[in-house]
Amino acid sequence: MMLVNHIDGSARGMPARRHTGLDGWCVWISLLVLGGGCASTQTAGFNGDNHIFLKHRAEALLQQAIVYPHNPVVRVEAVEALQMAGSNRALPQLRAALTDEHPAVRFAACLAVGMRHDALAGSAVRRLLDDEDENVRVAALFARHRLGLTQQTGKLAYYLLDHAEPSVRRNAALALGLLGERGAIKILAKAMRDRDEGVRHHALEAMARLGHPDAAKELAFLSNAGIGSQEVFAIQALSGTDDPRHVDTFRYKLDTAIHLETKLAAARALGDRGNDTGYDLAARALLRRSPTVNDPADPPAGQVLRVRQMAAMALGAIGRTEALPLLQGLMDDTSDPRLQVSAAGAVLR
């Protein structure tokens, strides 16, 4: 599952996903709930028809979320969820998001249509090469390359090595890693000398994704750093490599990690590989209402949100039917549309 680095990209204490730089805008206005009543937490009666109905509900909720007017974070996360769901029915919504008023949404949409090789988005992506926000231009270069238009891809090296803004350099590292071109490793290695830690981390992740063994070893070391944010980052980055040799690392962190978010990242990584060992942990964390640590720099509400989103993502990756009523209950919870989006994305997985 791709974790997008959006416009700001700066680190926060224990990230469940890359920081969008938009969290200060969050509002507590719910999405329209599609259907009535809270779901039972029992799986009895969840048959094939229920699954189909719930899938359609999840798709409809995400289609609403992608145009949610009150908070661009919700729209960004809806773009990501629809992209990862893999349904061609979502392509018109992803194309429409290319014209969103907020650059973070346009950025996410560019990555999404590029990942999906959506040729019908080509003209809109071409216009974004001249976007007012240079982060969006980076994403447009990525999408154009994925559509077979590689003439300007070399500009990503400039954005990575020479641009003044750290967020742009981070996003360039992300794009180079997602392109899948091993020739980019030499360029990314130069970025490991960048003064910004975020750029170095993104370059390290990109190099590991492209198969650089030393980068993967460094990530394995960071997964045992004892610092929650670094452990989560390292596990997510290792998971993105699809290298089966890291399964033992994920199992070890699920069993021994101190931080709940590290455990949830490991549960999700294992779930992506067909291992449901982390199911019980994720199911409990989905219902959690209290913070995991007392940290003045990390408000309780933010901690609870991250844990519940990570739990939903882990359950989506694990894929056990027993999780569907739990996720339906979260889709029906109108307290925060970001949680509804996470639950809907997990249902589609």
Side-chain angles (χ1 to χ4, degrees):
M1 181 174 182
M2 180 185 64
L3 297 168
V4 179
N5 173 34
H6 300 299
I7 299 305
D8 184 289
S10 58
R12 59 184 174 185
M14 292 279 295
R17 57 188 299 284
R18 292 271 158 66
H19 182 37
T20 63
L22 303 171
D23 295 285
W25 298 9
C26 291
V27 294
W28 299 93
I29 302 174
S30 68
L31 291 171
L32 175 65
V33 178
L34 307 176
C38 292
S40 166
T41 57
Q42 304 299 315
T43 57
F46 243 77
N47 56 33
D49 291 338
N50 297 136
H51 295 170
I52 294 171
F53 175 71
L54 188 57
K55 175 183 177 182
H56 290 324
R57 281 195 58 202
E59 289 177 338
L61 190 151
L62 291 175
Q63 288 168 6
Q64 290 179 346
I66 207 170
V67 293
Y68 185 68
H70 306 290
N71 187 354
V73 173
V74 174
R75 303 199 297 275
V76 166
E77 295 184 356
V79 167
E80 294 177 343
L82 285 171
Q83 191 281 119
M84 287 182 284
S87 171
N88 287 337
R89 290 191 297 273
L91 291 177
Q93 286 78 30
L94 296 177
R95 293 174 201 138
L98 293 167
T99 62
D100 192 274
E101 65 181 7
H102 200 284
V105 184
R106 299 196 299 275
F107 176 90
C110 271
L111 291 188
V113 298
M115 295 295 291
R116 298 291 300 278
H117 299 282
D118 181 16
L120 292 181
S123 59
V125 169
R126 177 170 46 80
R127 288 192 292 272
L128 293 180
L129 290 173
D130 297 317
D131 194 90
E132 62 184 4
D133 190 289
E134 291 187 273
N135 294 280
V136 178
R137 296 183 204 175
V138 167
L141 288 170
F142 164 82
R144 294 269 290 178
H145 185 100
R146 296 276 291 187
L147 296 176
L149 302 168
T150 61
Q151 300 90 335
Q152 300 186 61
T153 305
K155 290 182 179 179
L156 289 174
Y158 156 74
Y159 283 121
L160 174 64
L161 300 177
D162 298 318
H163 200 277
E165 290 297 323
S167 67
V168 175
R169 301 199 301 275
R170 295 174 189 178
N171 285 323
L174 170 68
L176 287 167
L178 293 175
L179 283 179
E181 304 286 350
R182 285 186 56 84
I185 289 177
K186 291 183 179 179
I187 298 170
L188 289 161
K190 294 180 180 179
M192 292 300 296
R193 299 191 293 268
D194 196 283
R195 61 187 178 277
D196 179 79
E197 183 181 49
V199 175
R200 297 195 300 273
H201 277 178
H202 282 75
L204 182 68
E205 178 179 1
M207 291 170 66
R209 184 182 290 272
L210 295 175
H212 194 286
D214 290 341
K217 289 178 183 177
E218 179 64 19
L219 288 172
F221 174 80
L222 288 175
S223 73
N224 292 296
I227 301 172
S229 58
Q230 289 193 9
E231 291 183 349
V232 171
F233 155 72
I235 290 171
Q236 291 175 337
L238 286 173
S239 184
T241 67
D242 293 325
D243 188 334
R245 292 175 293 181
H246 301 310
V247 169
D248 287 342
T249 297
F250 304 146
R251 287 174 175 155
Y252 176 75
K253 297 309 296 184
L254 180 63
D255 290 339
T256 67
I258 296 173
H259 305 289
L260 175 58
E261 292 174 54
T262 302
K263 287 178 174 285
L264 288 170
R268 179 181 173 186
L270 288 170
D272 284 331
R273 287 151 180 81
N275 184 316
D276 67 354
T277 307
Y279 175 83
D280 289 339
L281 172 80
R284 291 193 302 270
L286 190 74
L287 305 176
R288 191 178 182 96
R289 300 284 185 168
S290 59
T292 57
V293 296
N294 182 14
D295 182 355
D298 193 11
Q303 291 184 46
V304 172
L305 172 65
R306 290 198 312 273
V307 164
R308 299 186 76 191
Q309 285 187 303
M310 290 187 75
M313 293 173 186
L315 291 173
I318 290 168
R320 277 172 53 171
T321 305
E322 297 95 309
L324 289 174
L326 293 172
L327 293 168
Q328 181 178 345
L330 196 58
M331 284 171 56
D332 289 341
D333 183 350
T334 63
S335 63
D336 192 330
R338 294 167 295 178
L339 288 173
Q340 292 179 288
V341 166
S342 295
V347 166
L348 294 182
R349 288 208 67 189

